[in-house]
Amino acid sequence: MFSLVYGLLLFLALNGRQLTRGQPDDGKRYICRAVPITGDASCQVTLLPELNAGGQEEELRNTVMQLRETILLQKETIGKQLGTINELTTKLSLCASSSDDGKYDRGGSWTKDKQNTMGDVPRDPNSTIESLGKTMKGLKDRLESLEQHQMRANSSGTPFPSELRDMLQLRLVELEKQLLRKVNYLETEKTMLSNATAAYRIKTESTLNTLVERISELEKGGGDFKSPEQFKLSLPQRTNYLYGRITKSLPEMYAFTLCMWVKSSASPGIGTPFSYGVPGQANEIVLIEWGNNPIELLINDKASLAVAQLPLSVRDGRWHHICVAWTTRDGQWEAYQDGESMGSGDNLAAWHPIKPGGVIILGQEQDVVGGRFDAGQAFVGELSQVNLWDRVLKPLEIRSMANCTTYFPGNIISWLASNVEVFGRGAFKRPLEVCQDRLPNA
């Protein structure tokens, strides 16, 4: 309405200007102001000529009618466009609802609202991917339907907003990206689940094998021993023919913890309580004290940095519980005696995996795998509860074994009478309650 009044005033001003152009310029300027109809006659007011008054009124009337028709046409056009937009918005909502039925919640997990189109992950990722593919095909069919609707609208002359078409296309692209992310997530989850299942299966099998061995020993009565682990290996002389041999070998390992009870008063040095050799490397893992040197841990001694000196002292003729933990990551190691950490270090055969398929000898150092022993490096004393794990034990676990509050066998090598063979006259296995035997020495 304001625009109509403004146009009328502008029209009158232009016509008035045209009329004044026809009069001679008398050098005066006039100010227009409104006066009442019954104004004072003394107020001189310049009146517009009354010429062509009827033509001007007719022209104004025509202008008003044209403006009214234009407004009506625009109103009708806007109504049609609103109807089209509402219809397409409804179709878009139907299209979006099929994807929003399975949406992410704040925690990033998938929740279910109405249908199970893209809802909770089923047990079989392949069926989920198949259902997602069907959903995507349905969305594309809906888009094709909308495009056909656009073609029909174009043929009928009804405008189809390009903005809405672009919005639908963007929505479809977003749904395709969402589907791709979901597929990648399912593939990653499937791989992680497979790896976790394999690791759990290996761990379970190892635990079951250990339990089966212990049950077998208990069923056999453990020979002369009260329990399968309550025995000691005695090597009383420094020779090259007295030793014990573990009947099992090691798998490939990236970390280990070796624990044992040791009793020796040999001098100089207790010798070699533990050695593990593999083809091509007789000293893959060696625990040795020879001469006046401290106890040393050797790992793959062909490497340049393969020896760590351990701050342990066990040459007093008493029982001592010792543990050595190592991991291939940066070659980190730590040594324990009687439950307490005595020292640690790194760069010991860093990033070197322990090779599998070798031979474990108790009491001798191997120059070749399983033999060629040197009497000068032989262990003299007694060993018990030699256990090996393929991980780094926690300090609390080591302390509990050293204090005789807990005993648990190694998951790789466990101290069982059936796992230890004795060679050489003078070497033997005898019953031992190690915790009771060490009490008088405490």
Side-chain angles (χ1 to χ4, degrees), residues 133-308:
K134 292 180 180 180
T135 302
M136 204 65 209
K137 184 176 183 302
L139 294 177
K140 290 184 177 180
D141 293 340
R142 289 189 175 93
L143 182 60
E144 292 177 358
S145 176
L146 292 176
E147 290 176 348
Q148 293 178 0
H149 179 76
Q150 176 189 358
M151 295 176 62
R152 290 195 299 269
N154 291 336
S155 62
S156 63
T158 303
F160 188 87
S162 60
E163 294 82 359
L164 184 57
R165 182 178 62 253
D166 295 340
M167 183 171 61
L168 290 173
Q169 188 67 30
L170 290 175
R171 181 61 176 168
L172 182 59
V173 171
E174 181 183 353
L175 291 174
E176 289 178 346
K177 292 180 179 179
Q178 185 178 351
L179 176 61
L180 182 60
R181 288 195 300 268
K182 182 64 175 177
V183 172
N184 292 335
Y185 170 77
L186 290 176
E187 290 294 337
T188 303
E189 188 179 54
K190 181 179 179 181
T191 302
M192 293 177 61
L193 181 62
S194 177
N195 295 337
T197 302
Y200 182 76
R201 184 178 65 252
I202 294 174
K203 183 177 180 180
T204 303
E205 290 177 353
S206 176
T207 304
L208 289 176
N209 290 336
T210 302
L211 291 176
V212 169
E213 291 175 355
R214 291 180 61 82
I215 292 173
S216 298
E217 285 294 330
L218 291 173
E219 289 176 347
K220 294 178 182 178
D224 297 330
F225 312 136
K226 294 181 179 180
S227 60
E229 71 277 356
Q230 297 294 348
F231 70 97
K232 65 181 178 180
L233 172 64
S234 180
L235 304 170
Q237 300 178 9
R238 195 181 297 274
T239 69
N240 61 354
Y241 58 86
L242 300 181
Y243 64 95
R245 176 171 177 168
I246 302 294
T247 58
K248 291 189 173 183
S249 185
L250 304 183
E252 185 177 48
M253 298 188 303
Y254 300 91
F256 69 80
T257 301
L258 173 65
C259 293
M260 66 183 73
W261 286 94
V262 178
K263 181 180 180 181
S264 177
S265 57
S267 180
I270 65 172
T272 309
F274 182 94
S275 70
Y276 172 65
V278 296
Q281 174 55 282
N283 294 326
E284 185 70 1
I285 303 176
V286 178
L287 191 64
I288 184 173
E289 183 186 54
W290 59 283
N292 294 319
N293 298 317
I295 296 179
E296 295 179 339
L297 175 64
L298 284 70
I299 297 180
N300 184 29
D301 70 345
K302 289 185 177 181
S304 58
L305 298 173
V307 181

Side-chain angles (χ1 to χ4, degrees), residues 61 209 236 239 274 297 320 323 402 423 425 431:
R61 185 180 294 107
N209 290 336
T239 69
F274 182 94
L297 175 64
H320 293 281
C323 286
F423 296 87
R425 179 174 295 180

Side-chain angles (χ1 to χ4, degrees), residues 111 114 119 138 185 266:
T111 57
K114 296 181 180 180
Y185 170 77

